[in-house]
Amino acid sequence: MKSWHVLLAVVICWAAIYLPGLSSLELRGEEPRRVLPGMEMMQTSDWITPRIAGEDYHRKPPLVNWLAAASFSVTGTYSEWAARLPSVLSVLALALTAAAVGCRLYGLSGGLFAGVVLLTNIGMLEKGRLAEIEPLYIALFGIGWLLWFLLWREEKSPWLYWLVPSVPLGLAILAKGPVHLVFFYALVVCLLGAKKQKKALLHPAHWLGIGVQLAVALPWFLASSSNTSDGGAAAGTWMDQITSRLALDDVSWVGWPIAIVQAAVNFLPWAVPLVMLYFARFRERVGIPSREQDLVLDGLLRGLLIAFLLIVLIPTSRPRFTLPLMVPATLLLTHGVAMMADAGRESLVVWWRRVLRGLLLLVGIAAVVAPFFAVVDARLTTAVGCGVVVVGVWILWHLLAIHGEGQIDRLTLVTGSWAAMVVAFFVFAAVPHLQLREKIKPTGLAVKSLLEPDEKAVLYKGGYQPFVFYAWPQVEEWPSWDNVPSSVDQMPRVFLMEKKDWEKKSERKKFIKRFGEPVVLREIANEWGGGKPLVALGFKE
């Protein structure tokens, strides 16, 4: 096996896990907030200030918005697939980097193991297929930290291991702000301390690296400050977010311990062996050198634990805040497996095979049962898809029975294939049920059905409305009365507003006085955000 074989295997695993059904569900959660500003940037050509519904949106930096706009431009379509493409490509870039670093430091098996671990943990499976900030943020931090670790381990010049990672770390600031630097320095300081190299922090290359990070992020911040009427709005919003996380006013003292557990659960199934590495008796049993003998292991164990505790011990912390730590956690696991004695690896293989058989059994049983509960219109598709999953589980089950050379590699590939089976089961069995509960897409398509192909409607005082994604670019948003023209000839044929606003006498009177009594073209259900229906008005009928 050669290194390119490892990278190809990682790409195949990624494609099997992260591409199927990528556009099968509507945008959900915070996804519309990540892509709508990018769409408005394309419309206004203002690439500095993110906006939603015509209003400045300063809660997050714009890198994810820029990438969404780039994806829409390259693919030529406004679709869920195009919206989520930057996220899955970020996951691929991170997995390939981890595999390449693993190959350099721990051999081909270590590279394959590192790449697959990153692709198959719960946190990445949940976030990596969404148009969210986390996949991009995790990837940029992870690539930066992995490059630092590789160059430092290979004893390269400080000018390399401080400057090369500074570019992705600076881009990570443009993705979500500078919180990832807490993780980076917790790990770096512990590793340098373990090797008694803390003086490296005083090296000029380190300070220049910090300058490069600022040089990557600062131009946008300065441009944003000068591009808005309130130059300090972005900084003020960010400071409010930071101080709100440190305040204790809204702390759920019951939810806080649960959030800590959830943060650990995000790294399942790999969280179990990761936790075991912290026990000296386990390390001794599997033949891993002691922390005194392996200073890199000592630094990784300390750094990862400190970084994790620094975040989860904040009462207002959220489980997703620790997701970037899946990268050093993966490297720690890879390091531990590489350092195991032969007897320890044999024991690992036995337990790993047992766990995989249990997981395969669960997926197989679920695939057999699912067609009996399938949505009527999708029963045939569900049955065929689940049949494919059952066949896949059967093949993987028999692969587990093969003994001989390359046990770790084989189990790694089976783990990646098992994750692909889980995703396939989700697409064929769960997605049809979830599609029946969609709330955003039906509203957008209903609006679009009122319009001719080249016609535009106006949404008045709509605020943040996710359905706009599905009617774009045929919906223009007017946030206030100042945007309303003085002549009926300048009004669109279809004018949208919330029904409750139209029923207000003061609002209605203004429109009738200026344009006359409109025709109510249609009432449109809008189940998102409390179910505030829309009314489509025609002032030109």
Side-chain angles (χ1 to χ4, degrees):
M1 186 168 63
K2 298 181 179 180
S3 58
W4 72 267
H5 294 151
V6 171
L7 299 180
L8 179 60
V10 170
V11 171
I12 293 172
C13 284
W14 165 82
I17 296 169
Y18 288 88
L19 295 185
L22 196 61
S23 61
S24 57
L25 291 175
E26 68 175 11
L27 299 185
R28 56 195 179 94
E30 294 294 298
E31 286 187 286
R33 294 189 195 273
R34 310 306 173 218
V35 299
L36 288 175
M39 295 160 75
E40 292 209 21
M41 287 175 173
M42 295 174 67
Q43 186 180 64
T44 63
S45 297
D46 179 0
W47 299 94
I48 301 300
T49 305
R51 293 183 177 88
I52 294 180
E55 301 290 338
D56 293 353
Y57 182 73
H58 294 298
R59 290 184 65 82
K60 301 296 178 187
L63 185 57
V64 68
N65 311 140
W66 294 340
L67 291 178
S71 181
F72 295 138
S73 297
V74 171
T75 61
T77 178
Y78 297 105
S79 64
E80 298 97 336
W81 186 86
R84 291 162 178 161
L85 184 60
S87 293
V88 296
L89 291 178
S90 299
V91 173
L92 175 61
L94 176 60
L96 288 175
T97 303
V101 170
C103 287
R104 286 285 293 268
L105 297 178
Y106 304 110
L108 299 180
S109 294
L112 181 63
F113 180 80
V116 171
V117 168
L118 272 176
L119 292 174
T120 56
N121 64 81
I122 286 178
M124 189 64 88
L125 287 170
E126 178 190 2
K127 294 292 186 180
R129 291 167 51 91
L130 298 177
E132 266 285 12
I133 293 175
E134 273 72 23
L136 176 62
Y137 188 56
I138 295 166
L140 290 170
F141 161 75
I143 291 170
W145 187 81
L146 287 168
L147 290 174
W148 181 91
F149 186 80
L150 171 66
L151 296 170
W152 174 73
R153 280 293 308 276
E154 292 187 338
E155 299 182 351
K156 302 296 184 182
S157 166
W159 293 99
L160 282 177
Y161 67 69
W162 286 123
L163 292 180
V164 172
S166 61
V167 174
L169 292 174
L171 289 172
I173 296 175
L174 282 176
K176 201 177 180 178
V179 178
H180 63 283
L181 296 178
V182 174
F183 302 140
F184 180 78
Y185 280 105
L187 290 155
V188 165
V189 169
C190 287
L191 284 165
L192 292 175
K195 286 281 193 174
K196 302 193 183 306
Q197 297 175 3
K198 285 185 180 180
K199 287 184 178 180
L201 293 166
L202 302 177
H203 195 282
H206 177 215
W207 302 108
L208 183 58
I210 294 175
V212 171
Q213 294 180 47
L214 293 175
V216 171
L218 198 57
W220 169 79
F221 183 80
L222 295 176
S224 177
S225 298
S226 63
N227 200 44
T228 58
S229 56
D230 182 0
T237 301
W238 290 3
M239 287 304 299
D240 288 343
Q241 286 186 290
I242 293 172
T243 54
S244 67
R245 295 301 180 194
L246 298 176
L248 301 180
D249 298 339
D250 299 324
V251 174
S252 171
W253 298 106
V254 175
W256 180 25
I258 296 175
I260 296 175
V261 174
Q262 289 175 334
V265 167
N266 280 332
F267 196 57
L268 284 175
W270 307 104
V272 176
L274 178 68
V275 171
M276 296 299 292
L277 281 178
Y278 278 87
F279 293 92
R281 183 174 296 179
F282 171 79
R283 296 196 302 271
E284 182 181 353
R285 182 177 299 175
V286 297
I288 296 176
S290 67
R291 296 171 71 156
E292 292 75 17
Q293 295 171 313
D294 189 343
L295 298 179
V296 172
L297 174 67
D298 181 61
L300 286 172
L301 287 170
R302 291 179 188 275
L304 183 62
L305 182 60
I306 290 172
F308 182 79
L309 292 177
L310 283 174
I311 298 301
V312 299
L313 291 183
I314 299 174
T316 53
S317 178
R318 299 289 183 270
R320 68 178 183 274
F321 294 172
T322 59
L323 285 175
L325 290 176
M326 70 173 64
V327 181
T330 296
L331 197 67
L332 174 56
L333 270 180
T334 306
H335 184 91
V337 172
M339 296 297 108
M340 282 183 182
D342 290 341
R345 292 190 186 187
E346 291 175 4
S347 177
L348 171 67
V349 166
V350 171
W351 282 101
W352 196 349
R353 186 182 287 116
R354 289 176 182 173
V355 170
L356 279 175
R357 281 177 175 160
L359 294 174
L360 287 171
L361 192 61
L362 288 175
V363 176
I365 293 173
V368 170
V369 173
F372 295 100
F373 300 92
V375 174
V376 175
D377 294 339
R379 188 164 288 168
L380 178 60
T381 304
T382 301
V384 173
C386 287
V388 171
V389 171
V390 170
V391 172
V393 167
W394 182 83
I395 293 172
L396 295 176
W397 186 278
H398 284 77
L399 286 175
L400 288 177
I402 300 175
H403 295 269
E405 295 294 325
Q407 288 290 320
I408 297 289
D409 295 344
R410 187 177 299 110
L411 291 174
T412 301
L413 291 173
V414 170
T415 302
S417 302
W418 167 80
M421 293 297 103
V422 172
V423 171
F425 173 77
F426 174 79
V427 171
F428 288 115
V431 163
H433 290 279
L434 296 174
Q435 287 175 334
L436 296 177
R437 302 180 183 181
E438 291 183 337
K439 298 179 179 180
I440 299 171
K441 192 172 184 177
T443 303
L445 297 180
V447 169
K448 204 166 186 177
S449 68
L450 296 173
L451 305 171
E452 299 296 330
D454 298 326
E455 186 181 17
K456 279 195 174 185
V458 162
L459 175 62
Y460 176 68
K461 283 188 177 181
Y464 170 59
Q465 292 286 354
F467 79 82
V468 171
F469 174 82
Y470 292 97
W472 196 271
Q474 291 184 260
V475 172
E476 182 180 349
E477 298 177 83
W478 292 351
S480 70
W481 178 254
D482 294 336
N483 300 101
V484 178
S486 58
S487 169
V488 70
D489 295 331
Q490 298 173 292
M491 289 288 283
R493 185 179 66 85
V494 179
F495 188 86
L496 301 163
M497 62 189 303
E498 289 188 357
K499 184 180 178 182
K500 66 177 181 60
D501 288 339
W502 176 244
E503 291 175 345
K504 292 178 181 177
K505 290 184 179 180
S506 58
E507 198 74 44
R508 186 169 186 158
K509 188 176 180 180
K510 286 194 297 185
F511 280 97
I512 294 175
K513 183 178 180 180
R514 181 172 291 189
F515 306 117
E517 185 74 38
V519 175
V520 177
L521 302 176
R522 182 176 173 184
E523 290 188 11
I524 302 173
N526 184 20
E527 296 184 26
W528 177 85
K532 299 175 182 178
L534 304 172
V535 58
L537 305 173
F539 287 95
K540 292 185 176 182
E541 297 293 333

